[in-house]
Amino acid sequence: MVETPVRATMVGRAHELSALTSAFERSMEGRPHVVLVAGEAGIGKTRLLREFREQASAQANVAVGQCIDYGATPVPYAPIIGVLRDIVADMGAEAARAVVGPGRDALLLLLPELGEGPLDWSEVSASRLHDAIAVLLEAYAQRAPLVVMIEDLHWADESTLTMLRFLMRVISHARVLIVLSVRSEDVGRGSAVHTFLAEGERARLLERVGLSRLDRTQVRQLAESMRGDNLSDDVLDRIVDRTDGVPFFVEELACCATGAMPDTLRDLLLARYDSVDATAQRVIRVLSASTGWLPHVILREVVDLSDEDLDEAIRAGVYANILEVDDNAYCFRHSLLREAAQGELLPGERGRVHLAYARAFEQHPEIDAEFEIAYNWNAAGDAPRALSAAVSAMWSAKKAYAYATASQLGELALELWERVDEPERLAEVSRVKLISTVASLHRNAGAGERALSLINAALEEADHSPVTPELFVRLLRDKAQYLANIGRPGAVELLIDALALLGDESDENPGHVHDERLHAMLLNMLAARYMLVGKAHESIVTSSTAYEVASAAGERAERSIAANLRGMSRAQLGDVTEALADIERAREDAIDPKSRLRFSVNYSDLLYLLGRYEEAIEVARAGHVRAIELGVERSSGSMLLHNMVDPLFALGDIDEAENIITRTLELGSLTVPQSYSQRTRVQALLWRGDVATARRLAEQWLPGFDAIARVEQQVWWAASEMRVDLASAEERWDDAWRAVRGVLDEPGVTTQLHRRNFLLKSAEVVTRLRDANTGVDPDAAAEEVRTAWHALPESVATKPLTAVVEGLLAPPAAVSVELHVAAVEASDDPIVPALVRPVVRLQLARAHVAAGDRVRASAVMDDVIGRARELAHVGVRDQVMAYADAAGLRGSTASVTDDVLTARELQVLELVAEGLSNRQIGERLFISTKTASVHVSSILRKLGVSTRTEAAVVARRTAR
């Protein structure tokens, strides 16, 4: 390797280097960190990272990835591939394959050199690829601490950003530090990188280290270190004036400090270029048309020089501090130098260089360069070859799940289409098929509006071009899916139109499609849309037809989905017996991963709605394990995780629920399951008493809920519950009742099981209306809820729940004691959520007080206080303790700790009493050791004790 002859001493970056070192030390303790090094061009980001890398290398493995400037079509995963290759080179290919296990096939998408790929690439999902990379990083970090550096993030493609977003959230207990660098001025508002950084900082997933310009003293130090002698004040003034403290410019200008200084920035950047001979200048110009590191074998074919002359030219560029050499490739020392050299290319010269690059890369298929080929053919102005290369690169990016890059390449192909003759021959695809493919790529990349626009264009094109009836049906199907994805109506009508184009084998109409599997699939899609918008009757009829079509065609997987959808729709109407029979049919026919996962998702959801909470968790957990094995944790797996949360809430297990909510939010899953996770996040915050954060998030998320609710009735239920919960936590009981009335008055809501759970919540609101000073008549409100409850089918309004609701709705008076006793007895049934049990007991205590029986009231309150403390629900606890104080019913189990400690401190105190250390407390509650220590210190201070032992004694003395 040829070394750069002069490297300046790093100046003025002690604080920033210390911040990186501190983050590195924390990561070595198993607390992963992400640090963003940000600053303008030339500010010294690369120099700082090089210094830190040299220090960290003594204690850790360092893997480096470089984002590359390919204009509007970046190479997908470019920096991630660099990082992975560093790791695999150290671990060995065999060890890497063994570590990722089932994910090895996914890893082959980025590292084909690891071995033969799978026969069916469609079985490898994007989430499986992400999981495989995370597993590899975590396993490598077990050997030694790992530092991952990603430079020039401003040029990152969206696939890389998605991958980084995934790693930042998923890697939580490994010795990993991720360091990112970004050129601040190149991150425009609204860009993908800007959004990524804003999300990361808002969620406190990354720590920003900003680099500022050097002051006068620091400029002197840097310039003199470059020159090796002292500068006069006059020369220093000129350097400070021309560079404004930007280190890169200081280094450049220091080289000509004693002579005439360049007048412009471009002159400054080209000062080194001008110092080399014509041959070296020519090579530098040729290199400037490349992006990133250029292999030697390519450069040798592009420039017409002997090996000796080429070596001398490269050596001159290196000694002039313009170029760098690494293994068998060359790159500019700084992107600003490359940009300045590009300006020296004449228009004709630029085109010839790109043409030569395209041809050279094509002659070396061993170099994975499809994106470079497409980029260079387009830059050379050769539209036919650019079209062919862009389509080929698009398919490769799609195969690697780099949907954003693939969609941009597809857009390039569409742009080139009209500029060439015989485009279908060159692209080997019809225009309609290309447009629909690009639409699908945009949809998978999250650009739903663009996907819809393109599928509309494909349908319009199909009206003027001959397409097969099957393709037209699939276009209608795709548009229906895209409309549903962005929460717009119209999907049902499109699916009906698609189905109208299907015919059976006896139908001789050439406009009809004879594909029974497609027929069953479309029917199932339509049945699912009916079910999701709450049209259960229509869903039952449609899924029954799908069941018959799939049975006749021998398509058991589609038949399983049809039975599944019919069962869930029957459950919506309250026909529980037939629903469970259909679910069993779905289980028997679930013969492939898709139908099995769909069964797990819907069956676990149904079990929760039926109040079979333990079973729901068991089914969802088993399904989640399968989702991970199949690499679909971010889609089906995310929904299964969510299906564990609601039953955990019902069981009162807030700790495990919070753990899973964190995981679902980290996954960044699809829109609808993500909205469910957001709702449960608000619910968990309210449980813990953090009402301010809950309100902030609710205000942020509810507009999205309302948009989705037009096509997903379950999201409408979630939004309604969130509004009731938030108003209740803030004790705005008139608003809470208004939210309840909004649901009770909504016509056409047929989802009886969701309605049952909502009415149970509504009955709790009525109990608070009796004490609140509002304009709502509590007796009239109780009657409205009671009427709605008794309108439910008997299979839904079970006897235990009916007894509980009657107890909640009845006034806590002497005449209603027996009713409240019956409610308390019924509340022990497993179908009753844990949070309801202390509320019905509180109502019984109030009834005993109204009857003058304070002895029984005190005994009940002892039980209520204990249950409220165990559940750790701040709202319930405060309600219970407020009444206990007002009625003088604290009793023997009431603890002084309830008065002075927060809910989290009560949790910590219980663990202190168990003898756990701060580290063990942190692990149990998923908080840091330092945070646990802060809580313990606060507990000691509030209780007036000096040792953990004394605090434990207080806890035991006041325990039940």
Side-chain angles (χ1 to χ4, degrees):
M1 181 183 295
V2 181
E3 294 289 346
T4 301
V6 178
R7 195 173 87 180
T9 301
M10 190 174 71
V11 171
R13 299 294 180 238
H15 175 74
E16 292 82 357
L17 183 59
S18 175
L20 285 171
T21 302
S22 176
F24 176 54
E25 290 172 350
R26 294 194 298 272
S27 73
M28 288 197 297
E29 297 174 357
R31 293 182 288 157
H33 271 67
V34 181
V35 178
L36 173 70
V37 177
E40 62 187 299
I43 202 66
K45 300 181 294 295
T46 301
R47 182 70 180 86
L48 173 64
L49 295 188
R50 182 186 294 125
E51 189 77 18
F52 172 68
R53 178 181 180 180
E54 292 177 358
Q55 290 186 13
S57 295
Q59 299 173 276
N61 293 317
V62 181
V64 181
Q66 182 82 40
C67 299
I68 301 173
D69 179 15
Y70 274 97
T73 313
V75 175
Y77 299 114
I80 303 297
I81 292 172
V83 168
L84 296 178
R85 284 191 169 136
D86 280 354
I87 292 174
V88 172
D90 186 38
M91 292 182 70
E94 187 61 37
R97 285 194 294 267
V99 161
V100 296
R104 65 175 64 90
D105 291 345
L107 206 57
L108 287 172
L109 290 171
L110 302 187
L111 301 178
E113 63 268 25
L114 285 181
E116 294 295 328
L119 295 177
D120 185 1
W121 287 108
S122 64
E123 295 182 359
V124 182
S125 66
S127 55
R128 187 170 177 180
L129 172 63
H130 294 169
D131 284 336
I133 293 174
V135 167
L136 181 62
L137 295 183
E138 289 173 331
Y140 190 55
Q142 290 179 356
R143 298 185 172 199
L146 172 61
V147 177
V148 174
M149 288 187 173
I150 304 293
E151 297 193 55
D152 295 327
L153 195 70
H154 45 277
W155 288 325
D157 66 290
E158 290 196 29
S159 302
T160 294
L161 298 176
T162 300
M163 182 74 251
L164 288 173
R165 188 180 288 113
F166 178 81
L167 295 176
M168 288 163 60
R169 294 180 179 275
V170 170
I171 298 179
S172 56
H173 295 92
R175 297 181 296 172
V176 176
L177 171 66
I178 299 176
V179 181
L180 312 172
S181 73
V182 68
R183 189 191 292 180
S184 304
E185 70 272 25
D186 284 352
V187 179
R189 182 174 296 277
S191 68
V193 176
H194 181 274
T195 301
F196 168 80
L197 296 178
E199 289 175 352
E201 292 190 86
R202 184 167 56 245
R204 299 183 180 180
L205 293 174
L206 58 82
E207 172 186 344
R208 179 183 287 262
V209 175
L211 299 185
S212 58
R213 298 183 179 187
L214 304 180
D215 60 27
R216 179 183 174 85
T217 301
Q218 292 166 339
V219 168
R220 177 187 289 277
Q221 292 174 349
L222 179 57
E224 291 180 347
S225 73
M226 287 292 297
R227 293 182 49 78
D229 58 13
N230 297 330
L231 292 178
S232 67
D233 289 343
D234 178 59
V235 171
L236 177 62
D237 287 340
R238 287 194 292 163
I239 293 177
V240 171
D241 181 60
R242 298 288 179 86
T243 66
D244 205 16
V246 177
F248 177 74
F249 300 149
V250 173
E251 292 180 18
E252 296 301 301
L253 208 53
C255 298
C256 52
T258 57
M261 290 191 180
D263 292 325
T264 67
L265 173 59
R266 185 167 181 274
D267 290 337
L268 171 61
L269 292 170
L270 290 175
R272 293 182 183 274
Y273 171 85
D274 291 335
S275 70
V276 300
D277 62 28
T279 301
Q281 287 181 355
R282 179 186 167 201
V283 171
I284 290 169
R285 290 197 305 273
V286 169
L287 271 167
S288 74
S290 70
T291 53
W293 290 92
L294 184 71
H296 172 77
V297 66
I298 300 298
L299 180 62
R300 185 177 59 189
E301 294 195 11
V302 171
V303 295
D304 184 18
L305 292 173
S306 67
D307 288 343
E308 292 77 9
D309 288 344
L310 178 58
D311 289 343
E312 287 304 314
I314 293 294
R315 184 173 284 107
V318 171
Y319 281 131
N321 263 329
I322 299 172
L323 304 178
E324 290 185 345
V325 182
D326 185 16
D327 292 333
N328 294 313
Y330 311 114
C331 186
F332 280 83
R333 185 171 68 87
H334 199 284
S335 57
L336 290 175
L337 288 169
R338 179 173 69 86
E339 292 166 10
Q342 277 183 330
E344 293 296 290
L345 282 168
L346 296 173
E349 184 183 20
R350 183 189 302 272
R352 290 193 300 274
V353 170
H354 283 299
L355 182 65
Y357 274 137
R359 289 172 173 168
F361 277 118
E362 283 190 339
Q363 293 301 312
H364 289 275
E366 74 278 5
I367 300 175
D368 184 15
E370 283 189 293
F371 305 96
E372 288 85 349
I373 292 170
Y375 168 77
N376 282 291
W377 279 128
N378 187 49
D382 191 326
R385 287 189 173 92
L387 172 61
S388 179
V391 172
S392 177
M394 178 191 74
W395 295 123
S396 294
K398 179 178 183 291
K399 186 174 72 173
Y401 302 100
Y403 296 118
T405 296
S407 64
Q408 291 165 357
L409 286 161
E411 293 278 9
L412 174 60
L414 291 173
E415 178 186 333
L416 293 166
W417 192 274
E418 301 296 336
R419 291 161 48 188
V420 303
D421 297 326
E422 301 183 34
E424 291 195 6
R425 179 183 61 81
L426 293 169
E428 298 181 346
V429 66
S430 70
R431 179 172 171 79
V432 173
K433 181 62 175 175
L434 177 61
I435 296 173
S436 65
T437 298
V438 179
S440 174
L441 293 169
H442 276 297
R443 178 253 182 185
N444 288 330
E449 294 288 350
R450 181 56 180 163
L452 181 60
S453 175
L454 282 171
I455 204 64
N456 283 332
L459 284 164
E460 184 178 349
E461 181 78 14
D463 287 337
H464 303 94
S465 304
V467 298
T468 65
E470 181 180 354
L471 176 56
F472 193 78
V473 168
R474 293 183 184 276
L475 292 177
L476 293 175
R477 177 202 63 185
D478 290 347
K479 182 175 180 179
Q481 185 176 28
Y482 302 162
L483 284 170
N485 290 156
I486 60 177
R488 288 191 187 177
V492 169
E493 292 77 9
L494 285 165
L495 290 169
I496 291 173
D497 289 344
L499 284 164
L501 294 174
L502 293 172
D504 56 33
E505 294 296 337
S506 63
D507 194 333
E508 298 180 359
N509 187 335
H512 282 167
V513 180
H514 308 296
D515 185 333
E516 293 308 295
R517 183 173 183 275
L518 179 60
H519 190 184
M521 184 185 302
L522 286 171
L523 285 166
N524 278 331
M525 288 181 66
L526 181 58
R529 297 318 311 166
Y530 281 142
M531 181 187 76
L532 290 170
V533 298
K535 294 184 176 182
H537 293 288
E538 291 89 337
S539 180
I540 291 170
V541 171
T542 307
S543 56
S544 294
T545 305
Y547 190 90
E548 294 171 2
V549 171
S551 297
E555 293 288 342
R556 289 185 62 190
E558 289 299 328
R559 187 169 69 179
S560 170
I561 294 172
N564 186 336
L565 292 168
R566 186 170 62 188
M568 294 301 294
S569 299
R570 283 173 166 166
Q572 286 185 354
L573 297 175
D575 191 353
V576 176
T577 302
E578 288 300 316
L580 291 173
D582 267 332
I583 290 295
E584 185 56 37
R585 295 184 186 98
R587 186 205 304 270
E588 292 171 357
D589 281 331
I591 59 172
D592 68 353
K594 178 183 176 182
S595 56
R596 287 177 188 144
L597 284 176
R598 198 152 182 179
F599 169 80
S600 297
V601 170
N602 282 351
Y603 186 41
S604 58
D605 186 38
L606 178 59
L607 288 170
Y608 160 68
L609 291 172
L610 293 174
R612 294 160 60 177
Y613 307 125
E614 297 282 2
E615 292 176 78
I617 295 169
E618 182 181 348
V619 171
R621 183 170 285 123
H624 180 246
V625 170
R626 286 195 297 272
I628 293 175
E629 292 172 351
L630 293 169
V632 292
E633 188 182 13
R634 294 181 70 231
S635 51
S636 298
S638 176
M639 297 174 71
L640 287 159
L641 279 173
H642 169 75
N643 284 359
M644 290 185 234
V645 175
D646 278 327
L648 285 168
F649 277 140
L651 293 171
D653 192 347
I654 179 62
D655 292 332
E656 182 62 16
E658 284 181 321
N659 190 28
I660 294 177
I661 292 167
T662 300
R663 177 63 175 165
T664 61
L665 290 170
E666 286 173 348
L667 287 174
S669 60
L670 300 174
T671 303
V672 172
Q674 189 77 347
S675 66
Y676 300 149
S677 300
Q678 291 167 346
R679 191 264 298 171
T680 54
R681 169 65 172 152
V682 170
Q683 190 174 350
L685 287 167
L686 294 176
W687 192 303
R688 296 298 193 190
D690 190 352
V691 179
T693 303
R695 164 155 291 284
R696 176 175 58 80
L697 293 178
E699 290 174 348
Q700 176 185 333
W701 290 335
L702 275 171
F705 277 47
D706 293 337
I708 299 170
R710 294 176 295 178
V711 293
E712 298 271 353
Q713 192 174 88
Q714 195 161 333
V715 177
W716 177 77
W717 282 112
S720 300
E721 290 180 4
M722 188 186 296
R723 288 185 167 96
V724 173
D725 288 342
L726 191 61
S728 299
E730 295 176 335
E731 298 188 350
R732 294 182 287 107
W733 300 112
D734 50 349
D735 289 339
W737 177 247
R738 192 175 297 111
V740 168
R741 285 293 307 275
V743 172
L744 298 183
D745 294 341
E746 183 71 21
V749 178
T750 59
T751 48
Q752 301 297 333
L753 290 172
H754 286 92
R755 190 175 183 84
R756 180 186 73 182
N757 291 346
F758 187 84
L759 288 173
L760 187 59
K761 186 185 295 289
S762 303
E764 294 182 63
V765 172
V766 171
T767 67
R768 304 305 300 273
L769 284 173
R770 296 191 181 281
D771 294 326
N773 184 20
T774 69
V776 179
D777 180 352
D779 291 328
E783 190 56 34
E784 284 192 59
V785 175
R786 182 178 290 109
T787 300
W789 181 268
H790 288 295
L792 294 171
E794 291 185 8
S795 58
V796 173
T798 63
K799 289 182 179 180
L801 289 175
T802 298
V804 167
V805 168
E806 290 292 356
L808 291 171
L809 296 178
V815 295
S816 61
V817 169
E818 291 186 5
L819 196 61
H820 290 295
V821 169
V824 168
E825 292 174 350
S827 71
D828 289 330
D829 190 283
I831 199 174
V832 179
L835 277 180
V836 176
R837 292 169 183 154
V839 178
V840 295
R841 283 164 172 77
L842 179 60
Q843 293 297 93
L844 174 59
R846 292 161 64 93
H848 281 312
V849 170
D853 192 343
R854 295 186 62 81
V855 174
R856 283 192 173 89
S858 180
V860 172
M861 281 306 299
D862 283 351
D863 183 30
V864 174
I865 291 171
R867 288 175 182 272
R869 182 185 299 153
E870 182 179 350
L871 288 170
H873 189 289
V874 171
V876 172
R877 186 202 65 189
D878 289 350
Q879 177 189 2
V880 167
M881 300 313 300
Y883 178 74
D885 286 339
L889 295 174
R890 270 295 182 114
S892 59
T893 63
S895 168
V896 68
T897 59
D898 292 309
D899 293 327
V900 298
L901 301 185
T902 66
R904 178 63 90 180
E905 288 169 346
L906 286 170
Q907 288 181 300
V908 173
L909 179 58
E910 290 176 3
L911 299 180
V912 168
E914 292 180 23
L916 272 61
S917 66
N918 289 344
R919 181 182 61 80
Q920 292 170 323
I921 292 172
E923 291 173 352
R924 182 78 65 86
L925 298 179
F926 300 99
I927 59 178
S928 68
T929 302
K930 182 177 181 180
T931 300
S933 176
V934 170
H935 282 313
V936 171
S937 298
S938 177
I939 290 168
L940 298 181
R941 184 182 69 257
K942 289 182 178 181
L943 296 182
V945 297
S946 56
T947 67
R948 298 166 71 95
T949 301
E950 290 177 292
V953 169
V954 173
R956 294 190 187 100
R957 187 172 61 240
T958 59
R960 293 181 62 205

